Every structure is written in C-alpha cells, then in structure tokens.
Amino acid sequence: MPTHRYRRYLLILLTVNLGFAFLDRVALGMLLQDIKVDLDLSDTQLGVLSGIAFALFYAVMGIPLARWADTGNRVTLLTLTTGLWSLAVGLCGVASSFVQLIFIRVGVAVGEAGAFPVGISMIADYFNRAERPRAMAIYTLGGPLALVGGYLLAGVLNELVGWRTTFMLMGAPGLLIAALAWLTLKEPRASESPAARGASLNADQRSGADVLPTVPQEQIPSLRMVLKVLASNRTFRWLLLYISIAFFFVYGNLQWLPSYFMRSWSFSSGEVGLWFALIFGAVGLFATWLGGELATRFAPCNERLQLLTVSFVMIACGLLSTLVFASSHIPVVLVALTGVSLAINVSSGPIYAIIQSLVPERMRAVSMALVMLFANLVGMGLGPLATGALSDLYGEWAGAESLRYALLTMSPGYIVAAWFAWRASRTVAEDLTAVDDKPVLSAESQIPKASAV
C-alpha cells in the first residue's frame, strides 16, 4: 500500500477506534437515569460509577500501556486492548448490582486505556510538526463521532430495548476493529534492518510522508529518563495543568447533562439523544475539524498563537456554560450549549499536536499517558463525582432543581483552565526550540535545564 494511502487508512482506522472507545462513556451518561431507577442508586453513586471507578484504572493503567506503546509493538497492544474493552462493555448489560457494574467498568477502563496513547504515538510518527494539528484534529474527531452515536443511538436504543441490551450492542463493533487492526496495520519499528529503514525513510521523505526513523532498542530512554525530561519542560507542565482542569469541568458537566435535561426540562431520552447528537456530535465534528484546519492553515508552527486562541476560547466556554444553567428559556439554553460544544472541541487538535511536538519520538505515548493520568483522575474521576455530591448537597433546599445548581456552580471553572493555556503560550516557543522536533535519546546531556514555574 503506498505510503500516502496507508497514512490515510491508518488515521481513519485509529479515529474510528477512538470513536467506539469513547462511545461507551457517552452512552453511560444517557443511561444513568435508567440505571439509577433500575438499581436504586443515589447521585453520588452514579458519580462514582461514571467518574472515579472508571477513571482511576483508566489513568493508572495508561502508564504501563503507554510504555509498551513507546517500546514495543503498538499493533499488538491496540488489538488486545480493543478486544478487552469491547467484551467488557457488552458485559455491562448483565450487571445486577452497583458492585458488579463497578467491577465490569474497571475492565472497560483497562481496555480503553490503550487506545489514546497508541493512536497519538502512531500518528505523530507519520505526520510532521506542521501537519500534526490537522492530523490530530481528524483523530480527535473520534470524540464528536462518539457523541453522535452515543447520544442518538443510546437514546433511541434505550427507549426500544432498554439500557442492558444497549450496552451489549455497543460492545460488538470493537471486536471487528480489533481484527482489522491485527490484520492490516503494521508496526513501523518491527522487522526492518537499519539499511531497509534508511531506504524506506528516503523514499517516504521524497513522497512527503515524513515518517520518523526507528530508534535503536539500546537507545530507548528509561521510564525514569522520560519522566525527568517531561518534568523539566515548562510548557508540558502548564499543559498538563490545563488539560486536567479543563477535563474536571468538561466531564463534571457533560456526564450529567442528559440527566439535567430529563429532570429540569422533562426531555425524554430520545429527545436528549437527538439534540445532543446535533449539538455535541455534528457541531463537535465541525469544531474539531475547524480547529485543526485553522491551526494548520493560519498558524503552522506558531504554537504560541494557537495557545492564546485556546485561552480566549475557554473564557468564552465558561461564560456560555454559566448561561446554559442560569437561563429559564430553552432556546437560549440550546444556543448557549452549542457555543460550549464549539469551544470545547475547537481546541483539541492543536493542544494534542503541541504536546506531541514538545517531546521526542520515544516519549510520545508516555507523555500522553501521563497527561491522561492526571486529566482523568482529576477530570473524569472527580468531575462527575463533584457534581453528583453537590447535587445531593443542594437537594435539601433546591429539591428537583439541585442538579441545575450543581452544574451552575461548576461552569465558571473553564476560565481557570484558560489561565493555564495562557501561561503555556509564554514558554512554548523556547521549549519547542529545545526539542527541535527530533528524537531525543537517553543521554542526560540532552535534557533541557529545568526552569522555575
């Protein structure tokens, strides 16, 4: 398969895989209300189920799986982890208690922990610094695609066949993806002699593929070295904080939005699914593509401008999110929610591209896993739990509207994330110059001197 065609196929398959991996999380938010009634759970228990129970194992397992991705065969890893989460998602439909569902969700988390680091690492191998915002934006389209499928399909299927059968149906496509990955993808590090790699690299560079050469096994940096390099990078530290804070408020709000519309606006699950498929799915797809396209066209290799734009966008997100829960007019709510979807998704491609450009080739998966470790523990783990706990707390005086006030309390937090993006914009040019987009090996001398934050 010609290199340009293979790159396109690789990107599409990884995007579809990410979409189905995220589909389960989106659908869980749609099904929370029915799970609550069926298993007689509190909002705090639902927060544990959709938050920390999943996020803890997803985040912690991301580090060893990412280390495997940086040093081993990523195709094998992708196949095994995709198969695991697919089977576990199907098993969610047979859980008969809160404890059983918790343990099954742990299996889903371990499997899904392999998807993102592998995808990010492989894409960064095949697309250069100028191309990465667009490529990463296409890859992160998996998120909005999951929102379309998760909200629309889960909402309709829940009404037709119930939440249990919905989970069983959602697990099946992942098995096909695992088989396709095993049969059609190739690990560029495997079974090539140095001479063959050199000839292949020259041919790829002539065709514009810009595939990076494989680092010899003996020069792979240790995990300690990787962590030391990442800790010394000021911009990486700021972006780690930015994503962690952003995830806290994104997941703290997003996971509860279906329940909010069902409780406060009396929407059915089908109605919520249709509106959210349009707002977070269709609009999210457009915004994700737009962010990568604008960064690639108008700010290629200008990461400072990209981060300043992200900062302004997140300020707007905080203001619009507050309006969503403060307004008593449903047209205003839906329009403001559309603006939130635009703001959240437009920045994803440039942010992930910058992180991959900040670190050497053999550190990319671990760098992303480290980001996801903190982002998911703080964001996915504590965000939904914080909202659920606030809702139970406010229930004493707010009654049926307690969830509205909990979500309203969370909304201005996006502005805090904007501040961290702005701080990253001040150091990104210098840190990128130090890396110079080339693989950095394990020599201590190549670690940039740590600077005070």
Side-chain angles (χ1 to χ4, degrees), residues 319-396:
L319 298 175
L320 289 169
S321 183
T322 301
L323 181 60
V324 168
F325 306 111
S327 176
S328 58
H329 302 285
I330 193 62
V332 175
V333 170
L334 294 175
V335 170
L337 198 60
T338 301
V340 170
S341 177
L342 278 167
I344 290 173
N345 288 286
V346 78
S347 62
S348 57
I351 287 292
Y352 293 133
I354 291 169
I355 291 174
Q356 293 300 286
S357 296
L358 279 169
V359 300
E361 185 259 338
R362 284 288 182 142
M363 301 181 185
R364 285 173 176 156
V366 170
S367 71
M368 206 65 241
L370 188 64
V371 169
M372 292 295 105
L373 171 66
F374 286 94
N376 287 312
L377 284 178
V378 174
M380 192 192 307
L382 299 180
L385 178 58
T387 303
L390 284 172
S391 178
D392 284 339
L393 178 65
Y394 294 165
E396 297 181 4

Side-chain angles (χ1 to χ4, degrees), residues 4 15 50 79 129 139 195 257 306 357 377 403 423 435 441:
H4 69 281
T15 301
S50 60
T79 302
R129 178 178 162 189
Y139 178 55
L257 273 174
Q306 294 174 27
S357 296
L377 284 178
L403 184 56
R423 288 303 302 263
V435 176
L441 306 181

Side-chain angles (χ1 to χ4, degrees), residues 68-79:
W68 182 354
D70 274 340
T71 61
N73 191 310
R74 289 167 288 188
V75 175
T76 301
L77 175 59
L78 184 66
T79 302

Side-chain angles (χ1 to χ4, degrees), residues 133-149:
R134 179 187 286 126
M136 293 298 177
I138 292 173
Y139 178 55
T140 53
L141 286 175
L145 285 171
L147 292 170
V148 173

Side-chain angles (χ1 to χ4, degrees), residues 166-394:
T166 298
F167 272 122
M168 295 177 187
L169 292 174
M170 288 192 304
L175 298 175
L176 176 60
I177 296 172
L180 283 174
W182 178 255
L183 295 172
T184 62
L185 296 186
K186 299 177 182 179
E187 171 54 68
R189 302 169 185 157
S191 66
E192 277 192 308
S193 67
R197 283 198 300 268
S200 174
L201 177 62
N202 290 336
D204 289 336
Q205 287 176 331
R206 287 194 299 271
S207 66
D210 193 51
V211 180
L212 295 176
T214 302
V215 179
Q217 186 71 25
E218 65 273 10
Q219 295 182 329
I220 295 174
S222 66
L223 180 58
R224 176 178 173 274
M225 181 63 59
V226 173
L227 296 177
K228 194 171 183 179
V229 170
L230 297 178
S232 69
N233 190 307
R234 296 167 299 172
T235 305
F236 180 84
R237 297 197 302 265
W238 287 121
L239 290 180
L240 177 64
L241 291 168
Y242 162 78
I243 294 179
S244 298
I245 297 300
F247 269 41
F248 180 84
F249 295 104
V250 168
Y251 279 102
N253 283 4
L254 191 62
Q255 200 74 352
W256 286 100
L257 273 174
S259 296
Y260 164 69
F261 274 86
M262 292 176 194
R263 297 181 194 181
S264 295
W265 295 101
S266 300
F267 278 32
S268 69
S269 63
E271 289 174 321
V272 172
L274 178 59
W275 277 107
F276 281 22
L278 292 172
I279 292 174
F280 291 105
V283 173
L285 282 168
F286 170 74
T288 304
W289 167 83
L290 180 66
E293 193 67 21
L294 290 176
T296 300
R297 284 179 176 268
F298 300 108
C301 301
N302 188 349
E303 286 80 4
R304 181 177 181 275
L305 178 57
Q306 294 174 27
L307 286 170
L308 285 173
T309 304
V310 168
S311 181
F312 284 115
V313 165
M314 292 307 290
I315 292 173
C317 185
L319 298 175
L320 289 169
S321 183
T322 301
L323 181 60
V324 168
F325 306 111
S327 176
S328 58
H329 302 285
I330 193 62
V332 175
V333 170
L334 294 175
V335 170
L337 198 60
T338 301
V340 170
S341 177
L342 278 167
I344 290 173
N345 288 286
V346 78
S347 62
S348 57
I351 287 292
Y352 293 133
I354 291 169
I355 291 174
Q356 293 300 286
S357 296
L358 279 169
V359 300
E361 185 259 338
R362 284 288 182 142
M363 301 181 185
R364 285 173 176 156
V366 170
S367 71
M368 206 65 241
L370 188 64
V371 169
M372 292 295 105
L373 171 66
F374 286 94
N376 287 312
L377 284 178
V378 174
M380 192 192 307
L382 299 180
L385 178 58
T387 303
L390 284 172
S391 178
D392 284 339
L393 178 65
Y394 294 165

